[in-house]
C-alpha cells in the first residue's frame, strides 16, 4: 500500500466531516489537532501530515499508515484507535482516538513543576535563594509528594543585602546574571534554573550538556536563552520562555508562574498520579534488578561553589 491508495476526499468534504480545532502537538512531519467527527459528534485527534517532503520521510509516513491499518480493529485498550485517513493535495489527515490527558511527559512535568513552584514561593517569601534548582535536587516521596532538597549553597537575602554576587550553582543550570562577573542577582535566578530544569525533564538533559562545564559557563551569558522546539506543546514552550528571560527583572515570580496556562492545566490532576508512578517504579526495580550509576562525562565537578562575598 502507498499513500496514493489512501482514501481521496476533496478538502471541502473532509472538513465537512471533521472540524479541526486547536493545535495540541507538532512533530517532524506535521501537526496534531483536536477535532470533532461531525457525523458521530465524537472528539477525535486529527494528525495532518505534509507529504511534500523528502522521499524517505514519506516512506516513514506510509509505514505508519500500514501499521495503523493493521491495528484498526484491535480491541486493546492500550493502543490508540485509528479511524481512517484522507488524502487531499499534499496533506494527509489521519483520524485517531483523542487522548484528553495528553502526553504523559507533559502531564508529569506540569505536576512536578507545579510542586517545585510551591516550594519556591515559600523559599522566596523567606528571602532564600536555592541556587541549585535541577532535576537531581527534586525528590519524590513514596506517597507521591514532590520535595526540593539540597540547600548546601542556598543564599539568604537580608534588608541590607537584597542581592547576591556569589558564583554558586551547577554550571548548566546557572542564570546569566549569576555567571557574569560583577553582576548581582536575587530570587529570579531560581526561576531561570527552573526553566532549564523543565527543558531537562522534557528532553533528558539541560542545554549545553555535551559541552564541558567551563565552556557552558562561557556560552550561557553570551547566547540567546534556550527554547523548546515546536514539537512541544505551546503552553510548555511558553512556560520555558517566561523563565528564560535574559532580563531577570522581567522574569515572573514563582507565584505568577502558578497562573501560567501550563501549570493551571495540572490543577485538575491529583498527586495520586505521581504516587502510582512511584509504586510502578518500585515494582520495576524489584523485578528487573535495578542498577544505577552516574559519572560526569567531562570529569568536572557536578556543582561549582566559588564564594566571592
Amino acid at each position: 500500500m502507498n499513500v496514493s491508495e489512501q482514501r481521496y476526499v476533496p478538502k471541502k468534504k473532509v472538513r465537512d466531516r471533521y472540524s479541526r480545532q486547536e493545535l495540541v502537538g507538532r512533530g517532524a512531519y506535521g501537526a496534531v489537532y483536536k477535532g470533532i467527527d461531525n457525523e458521530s459528534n465524537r472528539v477525535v485527534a486529527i494528525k495532518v501530515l505534509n507529504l511534500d517532503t523528502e522521499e524517505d520521510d514519506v516512506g516513514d509516513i506510509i509505514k505508519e499508515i500500514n501499521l495503523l491499518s493493521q491495528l484498526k480493529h484491535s480491541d486493546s485498550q492500550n493502543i490508540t484507535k485509528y479511524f481512517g485517513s484522507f488524502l487531499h493535495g499534499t496533506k494527509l489527515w489521519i483520524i485517531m482516538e483523542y487522548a484528553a490527558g495528553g502526553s504523559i511527559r507533559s502531564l508529569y512535568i506540569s505536576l512536578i513543576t507545579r510542586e517545585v513552584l510551591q516550594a519556591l514561593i515559600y523559599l522566596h517569601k523567606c528571602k532564600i535563594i536555592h541556587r541549585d534548582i535541577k532535576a537531581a535536587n527534586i525528590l519524590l516521596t513514596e506517597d507521591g509528594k514532590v520535595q526540593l532538597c539540597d540547600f548546601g549553597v542556598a543564599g539568604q537575602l537580608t534588608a541590607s543585602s537584597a542581592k547576591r554576587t556569589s558564583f554558586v550553582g551547577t554550571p548548566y543550570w546557572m542564570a546569566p546574571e549569576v555567571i557574569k562577573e560583577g553582576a548581582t542577582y536575587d530570587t529570579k535566578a531560581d526561576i531561570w534554573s527552573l526553566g532549564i530544569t523543565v527543558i531537562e525533564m522534557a528532553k533528558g538533559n539541560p542545554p549545553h550538556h555535551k559541552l564541558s562545564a567551563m565552556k557552558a559557563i562561557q556560552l550561557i551569558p553570551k547566547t540567546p536563552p534556550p527554547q523548546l522546539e515546536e514539537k512541544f506543546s505551546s503552553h510548555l514552550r511558553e512556560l520555558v520562555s517566561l523563565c528564560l528571560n535574559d532580563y531577570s527583572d522581567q522574569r515572573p515570580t514563582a507565584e505568577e508562574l502558578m497562573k501560567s496556562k501550563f501549570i493551571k492545566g495540572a490543577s485538575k490532576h491529583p498527586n495520586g498520579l505521581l504516587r502510582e508512578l512511584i509504586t510502578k517504579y518500585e515494582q520495576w526495580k524489584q523485578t528487573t534488578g535495578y542498577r544505577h550509576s552516574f559519572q560526569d562525562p567531562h570529569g568536572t565537578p557536578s556543582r561549582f561553589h566559588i564564594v566571592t562575598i
Side-chain angles (χ1 to χ4, degrees):
M1 182 176 71
N2 55 43
V3 171
S4 64
E5 291 171 357
Q6 296 305 306
R7 183 180 172 196
Y8 179 84
V9 179
K11 196 170 190 176
K12 184 177 183 301
K13 289 189 177 180
V14 172
R15 289 186 172 171
D16 283 344
R17 169 72 187 269
Y18 297 100
S19 297
R20 195 172 74 179
Q21 299 183 331
E22 70 264 26
L23 177 73
V24 294
R26 191 179 294 278
Y29 308 137
V32 180
Y33 299 85
K34 180 180 178 181
I36 299 290
D37 181 338
N38 296 317
E39 289 187 4
S40 64
N41 208 32
R42 175 171 52 194
V43 178
V44 296
I46 302 174
K47 191 172 184 178
V48 181
L49 303 180
N50 183 16
L51 301 182
D52 187 16
T53 184
E54 298 291 334
E55 188 174 338
D56 289 345
D57 295 342
V58 173
D60 289 340
I61 294 170
I62 293 170
K63 187 184 297 183
E64 179 179 5
I65 293 294
N66 280 329
L67 286 171
L68 289 171
S69 297
Q70 293 174 34
L71 298 171
K72 188 171 183 178
H73 302 293
S74 167
D75 57 0
S76 172
Q77 295 182 354
N78 302 112
I79 301 292
T80 302
K81 294 222 173 347
Y82 166 68
F83 301 126
S85 56
F86 304 88
L87 179 65
H88 48 83
T90 60
K91 304 290 184 183
L92 180 67
W93 283 31
I94 302 175
I95 314 301
M96 305 181 73
E97 181 180 10
Y98 180 71
S103 163
I104 61 166
R105 174 174 58 194
S106 291
L107 174 58
Y108 287 120
I109 291 174
S110 64
L111 286 170
I112 291 168
T113 305
R114 179 188 69 188
E115 300 303 299
V116 173
L117 282 170
Q118 294 282 19
L120 289 179
I121 288 171
Y122 176 78
L123 287 179
H124 294 172
K125 281 183 178 178
C126 295
K127 304 296 184 185
I128 294 172
I129 316 173
H130 186 279
R131 300 200 289 197
D132 203 19
I133 303 293
K134 58 183 179 182
N137 288 337
I138 301 170
L139 305 180
L140 286 175
T141 67
E142 189 175 359
D143 59 352
K145 290 188 177 70
V146 178
Q147 296 183 339
L148 194 55
C149 70
D150 196 347
F151 292 83
V153 296
Q156 178 81 54
L157 300 177
T158 64
S160 60
S161 179
K163 298 273 188 178
R164 300 301 295 260
T165 60
S166 309
F167 180 73
V168 175
T170 308
Y172 307 100
W173 290 263
M174 289 166 73
E177 65 270 22
V178 177
I179 296 171
K180 289 177 182 175
E181 188 176 354
T184 61
Y185 61 89
D186 56 17
T187 55
K188 294 294 185 70
D190 281 345
I191 300 300
W192 175 282
S193 298
L194 177 64
I196 297 296
T197 302
V198 171
I199 292 179
E200 179 191 11
M201 288 191 286
K203 301 181 71 172
N205 288 294
H208 309 304
H209 71 279
K210 292 184 179 179
L211 303 177
S212 69
M214 292 304 268
K215 185 65 175 175
I217 285 171
Q218 292 170 6
L219 281 178
I220 290 169
K222 298 176 182 177
T223 54
Q227 300 296 332
L228 286 173
E229 299 88 342
E230 282 196 353
K231 67 179 181 180
F232 295 96
S233 75
S234 59
H235 292 169
L236 178 56
R237 287 187 284 117
E238 178 193 49
L239 178 78
V240 169
S241 182
L242 289 169
C243 292
L244 302 184
N245 192 316
D246 270 333
Y247 300 96
S248 60
D249 59 339
Q250 294 180 19
R251 288 176 213 148
T253 64
E255 217 159 2
E256 289 168 340
L257 283 172
M258 288 291 289
K259 300 173 185 175
S260 67
K261 292 177 182 177
F262 185 68
I263 299 303
K264 285 173 74 174
S267 62
K268 59 186 176 183
H269 298 292
N271 278 9
L273 288 172
L274 295 175
R275 186 164 57 248
E276 290 174 16
L277 179 66
I278 292 296
T279 300
K280 290 181 179 179
Y281 175 64
E282 290 298 328
Q283 291 171 348
W284 173 79
K285 283 202 298 184
Q286 292 173 12
T287 57
T288 61
Y290 173 73
R291 297 289 183 271
H292 176 72
S293 64
F294 173 78
Q295 183 176 359
D296 186 340
H298 303 296
T300 55
S302 63
R303 179 168 65 201
F304 277 27
H305 184 185
I306 305 173
V307 181
T308 57
I309 63 168

